[in-house]
């Protein structure tokens, strides 16, 4: 095997997901509410399950109920239901206390957005 370092410089453009990505960076949960059936998806779905593509961006509280959690080599992850969303989301559990049933979305704190939930006291300032 030959090791070789490869450096790439590139810009990622979130396109229609910009409100979602900017929200994650700032610690806000921006969801899409379907204009036809009001189903709210987080992470946002481009096309609602009813087939509608028109939707409004809505800010959720950021509070998440942990439905399932697992621990892996890369950290803890959870299947969570964000308050106000009709969908479930897979998130990193960042410092969320063992046994905690709820957490709050965390700010990514950098240019790379990630979906993470932690203890309430670690949430971003509103
Ligand atoms: Zn719909």
């Amino acid at each position: 095997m030959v090791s070789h370092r490869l450096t790439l410089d590139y810009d990622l453009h979130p396109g229609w997901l910009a409100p979602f990505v900017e929200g994650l960076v700032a610690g806000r949960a921006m969801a899409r509410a379907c204009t036809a059936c009001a189903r709210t998806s987080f992470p946002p779905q481009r096309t609602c399950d009813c087939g509608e593509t028109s939707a409004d961006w809505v800010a959720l509280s950021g509070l998440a109920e942990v439905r399932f959690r697992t621990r892996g080599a890369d950290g803890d992850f959870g299947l969570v239901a964000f308050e106000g969303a009709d969908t479930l989301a897979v998130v990193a559990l960042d410092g969320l206390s063992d046994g905690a049933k709820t957490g709050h979305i965390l700010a990514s704190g950098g240019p790379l957005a990630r979906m993470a939930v932690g203890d309430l006291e670690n949430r971003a300032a509103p």
Side-chain angles (χ1 to χ4, degrees):
M1 177 191 303
V2 176
S3 295
H4 181 74
R5 177 177 292 267
L6 179 63
T7 302
L8 299 173
D9 292 321
Y10 56 90
D11 293 320
L12 296 175
H13 297 281
W16 72 273
L17 285 170
F20 168 69
V21 172
E22 291 165 5
L24 292 179
V25 170
R28 291 189 309 270
M30 296 301 295
R32 276 175 57 95
C34 174
T35 57
C37 73
R39 185 174 191 272
T40 301
S41 59
F42 185 82
Q45 293 176 319
R46 183 75 171 125
T47 303
C48 181
D49 289 355
C50 76
E52 180 63 51
T53 57
S54 177
D56 296 317
W57 288 102
V58 295
L60 305 179
S61 70
L63 186 66
E65 175 191 351
V66 179
R67 300 278 180 90
F68 179 81
R69 67 187 298 160
T70 187
R71 177 162 287 157
D74 295 335
D76 293 352
F77 294 89
L79 181 64
V80 304
F82 280 89
E83 184 177 52
D86 298 306
T87 57
L88 299 177
V90 175
V91 300
L93 300 177
D94 190 353
L96 187 66
S97 305
D98 285 344
K101 299 294 185 200
T102 58
H104 198 277
I105 193 166
L106 299 176
S108 300
L112 294 179
R114 70 181 192 125
M115 291 181 61
V117 166
D119 286 324
L120 286 170
E121 56 268 18
N122 296 329
R123 68 176 180 242

